[in-house]
Amino acid sequence: MSRGTRINALLLAAVLLLAVLPLALGLGDDEEEPFTGSDAQAEVAIAENDPDYDAWFSPLYEPPSGEIESALFAAQAALGAGVLAYYFGLRRGRRQGEAHASSAAGGERP
Amino acid sequence: MHIAEGYLPPVHAVAWSAAAAPFIVHGVRVLTREVRRNPEAPLLLGASGAFTFVLSALKIPSVTGSCSHPTGTGLGAILFRPPVMAVLGTITLLFQALLLAHGGLTTLGANAFSMAILGPWAGYGAYRLGLRAGAPLMVAVFCGAFVADLSTYCVTTVQLALAFPDPSSGFTGALAKFGGIFAVTQIPLAISEGLLTVLVLRLLIQSSPGDLARLGVPFRGRDKAVAR
């Protein structure tokens, strides 16, 4: 493994560690419902600060269940990952193509 | 996490939308100019938008026992300057508001102001400042992405504290309360986003040094060699 690949792997491992540690250390155990969204917690805090406040507009479309919602979030991530992969694949392919072309052109010269 | 639909009083919703609108209009102009001037730009623009799409779909557990998601706006702000992110970030927010009931249309202006405008500008500022102070490119990139992410949620905190001051301790009390929910939760996520942005920039230096040179990212031969 080259030095560059090793650094990349370390970066990814650090990101994974940061995400898994709160779960592994049970940092959500004091909560009534562990690891809820911060936006939902904000709604609770708003209700505490201003008990009379009612949301005056509701989403035009709401995913009917948690499963559908997570499917849509997964679709969003997949779409983004797909475009990113396309970009890197295209760039890599072009560079390889250019390298082939220049080495072929170099080989033909007398 | 963004402010949920209907959770800003109408006056605040309108004010934040009015504040965000000029930045978005300006961003559209900058974006069209960039695309017209350089036919290769849409590819990397698409990739930057895609990075925001991926990161803002990932809800990640944090030290506060709750979950939030990164923003992914630092990368595009560093590559294309912040005005472009006003557009790409708002598109992501609109997608989530319409299809995922995450964020909202009435809170779109406020959420765009935090994630698509102030976050990218603060991140870009941190990146430039880092470079000027002589920091290595990757350190400046990490700072840029970290600041773009964290400042987004600091703005969210201020927005909610302005709208819902604490009945006894007022704005400051509310600032501490919402800050605990948004900003503190975001710290480890901002670190993650910084690391991921560094990773993507390393891959970009490897795969498309031409694009980066054209955009004025000051990578050196040594960075390139390390990335290989």
Side-chain angles (χ1 to χ4, degrees), chain A residues 59, chain B residues 2-6 93 96-98 101-109 111:
Chain B
H2 315 299
I3 303 175
E5 183 74 284
L93 284 167
Q96 294 195 323
L98 288 176
H102 183 58
L105 294 177
T106 58
T107 51
L108 184 66
N111 289 331

Side-chain angles (χ1 to χ4, degrees), chain A residues 91, chain B residues 31-45 80 210-211 214-215:
Chain A
R91 278 280 175 263
Chain B
L31 190 68
T32 37
R33 202 195 310 144
E34 175 75 23
V35 170
R36 221 173 279 155
R37 205 174 47 189
N38 171 25
E40 283 284 299
L43 261 180
L44 190 52
L45 275 170
F80 291 99
D211 280 358
R214 192 173 41 72
L215 292 168

Side-chain angles (χ1 to χ4, degrees), chain A residues 2 4 8 18-19 22 35-36 38-39 41 43 48-49 53 55-57 61 72 76 80-81 87 91 94-95, chain B residues 1 4 6 8-9 40 50 53-54 56 61-62 65-67 96 99-100 102 164 177 181 202 207-208 211 226 228:
Chain A
S2 75
N8 291 348
L18 275 171
F35 298 111
T36 50
S38 58
D39 50 354
Q41 296 194 342
E43 286 172 25
E48 282 170 16
N49 281 11
Y53 187 82
W56 55 281
F57 199 81
Y61 168 77
L72 285 167
Q76 184 191 330
Y87 175 84
R91 278 280 175 263
R94 271 196 200 163
R95 278 171 74 79
Chain B
M1 296 281 203
L8 273 184
E40 283 284 299
F53 247 62
V54 177
S56 62
S62 176
S66 61
C67 278
Q96 294 195 323
L99 290 178
L100 306 176
H102 183 58
F164 302 102
K177 190 177 200 170
I181 293 172
R202 289 168 56 81
S207 71
S208 22
D211 280 358
V226 168
R228 261 189 195 140

Side-chain angles (χ1 to χ4, degrees), chain B residues 172-201:
Chain B
T172 357
L175 205 61
K177 190 177 200 170
F178 290 114
I181 293 172
F182 285 107
V184 178
T185 304
Q186 204 63 28
I187 293 171
L189 273 68
I191 296 174
S192 294
E193 172 161 359
L195 296 174
L196 283 173
T197 307
V198 166
L199 176 65
V200 169
L201 212 85

Side-chain angles (χ1 to χ4, degrees), chain B residues 25-220:
Chain B
V25 171
H26 174 237
V28 171
R29 276 202 207 128
V30 173
L31 190 68
T32 37
R33 202 195 310 144
E34 175 75 23
V35 170
R36 221 173 279 155
R37 205 174 47 189
N38 171 25
E40 283 284 299
L43 261 180
L44 190 52
L45 275 170
S48 304
F51 188 66
T52 301
F53 247 62
V54 177
L55 286 203
S56 62
L58 297 178
K59 295 182 183 172
I60 300 172
S62 176
V63 285
T64 46
S66 61
C67 278
S68 186
H69 61 74
T71 62
T73 54
L75 177 71
I78 288 168
L79 292 178
F80 291 99
R81 301 192 74 257
V84 167
M85 284 323 288
V87 184
L88 298 183
T90 306
I91 292 174
T92 309
L93 284 167
L94 197 61
F95 178 91
Q96 294 195 323
L98 288 176
L99 290 178
L100 306 176
H102 183 58
L105 294 177
T106 58
T107 51
L108 184 66
N111 289 331
F113 196 87
S114 61
M115 177 176 141
I117 296 164
L118 200 129
W121 273 109
Y124 182 72
Y127 163 73
R128 299 294 311 181
L129 222 66
L131 285 184
R132 191 166 300 173
L137 174 64
M138 288 309 170
V139 174
V141 167
F142 176 87
C143 291
F146 176 86
V147 169
D149 184 317
L150 192 58
S151 62
T152 296
Y153 290 93
C154 292
V155 175
T156 306
T157 299
V158 172
Q159 287 169 330
L160 284 175
L162 280 173
F164 302 102
D166 191 273
S168 51
S169 50
F171 174 73
T172 357
L175 205 61
K177 190 177 200 170
F178 290 114
I181 293 172
F182 285 107
V184 178
T185 304
Q186 204 63 28
I187 293 171
L189 273 68
I191 296 174
S192 294
E193 172 161 359
L195 296 174
L196 283 173
T197 307
V198 166
L199 176 65
V200 169
L201 212 85
R202 289 168 56 81
L203 296 174
L204 283 173
I205 289 175
Q206 194 179 12
S207 71
S208 22
D211 280 358
L212 291 190
R214 192 173 41 72
L215 292 168
V217 177
F219 65 93
R220 295 188 311 259

